Amino acid sequence: MPEPRLTARFWVDAYLARLRFADIPAFVVAHGDDTAGAVLVKQSPLDGSATAFIRSFDLMSGERVWTELASGPEAEVDAAIARQRGFDPDLWVIEVEDRLRRHLLDQDGLG
């Protein structure tokens, strides 16, 4: 039996709440489809660099995992995100701003 999936809006709201609880600033940069939109997380340490993560499906384990889409100068990461949004206009983009590079995507329940 397939595992039930949360709506994108519910997941984003829960993720933002978890970040707020950890005192990590985050913002919705692009509001995707509330029900089935994919989510991309951009982590910015506020030093001119950034990393973008997107959720994908690991065929070996059957689990949903976060993979790095792009990393490097923030302008290049922003360009990669813009290209991704060109392919998927329903994409959510969340920007996490933390000098310690925390994004919490490695915590249980965020896969």
Side-chain angles (χ1 to χ4, degrees):
M1 178 178 216
E3 183 178 316
R5 291 186 58 193
L6 300 174
T7 65
R9 177 62 183 255
F10 185 87
W11 188 93
V12 166
D13 288 344
Y15 180 56
L16 292 173
R18 190 178 284 192
L19 289 166
R20 273 192 306 275
F21 185 71
D23 291 324
I24 301 171
F27 312 92
V28 175
V29 177
H31 184 130
D33 182 85
D34 282 344
T35 305
V39 179
L40 183 147
V41 174
K42 173 185 167 187
Q43 198 293 319
S44 173
L46 304 172
D47 66 358
S49 68
T51 304
F53 300 93
I54 194 155
R55 205 164 27 173
S56 61
F57 190 75
D58 182 350
L59 295 175
M60 297 300 287
S61 68
E63 300 290 321
R64 292 164 53 120
V65 296
W66 288 97
T67 58
E68 189 177 294
L69 174 72
S71 182
E74 192 164 12
E76 291 178 16
V77 173
D78 287 341
I81 292 170
R83 284 191 300 276
Q84 197 70 25
R85 285 195 37 85
F87 301 134
D88 184 359
D90 293 331
L91 182 69
W92 287 79
V93 178
I94 310 301
E95 183 163 342
V96 179
E97 295 180 346
D98 184 66
R99 293 184 193 283
L100 300 176
R101 299 181 183 270
R102 296 175 297 166
H103 49 67
L104 308 183
L105 296 175
D106 52 351
Q107 291 189 348
D108 287 341
L110 291 176

